[in-house]
Amino acid sequence: MLELDLFNAAQFLDQGLAILGTFLLTSLSARTRMYGFIMFFLMNIPGVYLLVVTELWWILLATPLWLYLNYRGFMNNYRESRGLT
């Protein structure tokens, strides 16, 4: 049976944001792709909680690289949407 607690809510939020972010990243529009990158930034919040609770904290070592790559993608899409490239 499904229990509604903080852990399960974080799992649903994490997966929901991942699906929505992936959907937005597949857009041809640079502006829509920027929203996808924002979703992946927001997905980091429940994802970090889940990693700490499940004692997979060592995976957090890759988080700075993941955030850097998302930042680069966000900035590239921002420049493309403004016509700066």
Side-chain angles (χ1 to χ4, degrees), residues 12-49:
F12 281 119
L13 186 60
D14 185 53
Q15 291 303 307
L17 289 174
I19 291 168
L20 183 60
T22 303
F23 176 73
L24 293 174
L25 282 175
T26 59
S27 173
L28 294 176
S29 166
R31 179 170 292 200
T32 305
R33 283 195 310 268
M34 282 194 307
Y35 292 126
F37 281 106
I38 291 170
M39 284 290 115
F40 280 109
F41 278 128
L42 294 176
M43 191 177 74
N44 199 31
I45 297 167
V48 167
Y49 170 76

Side-chain angles (χ1 to χ4, degrees), residues 62-75:
T63 301
L65 176 64
W66 182 81
L67 288 172
Y68 172 73
L69 292 174
N70 271 295
Y71 172 75
R72 290 289 306 261
F74 179 79
M75 293 308 296

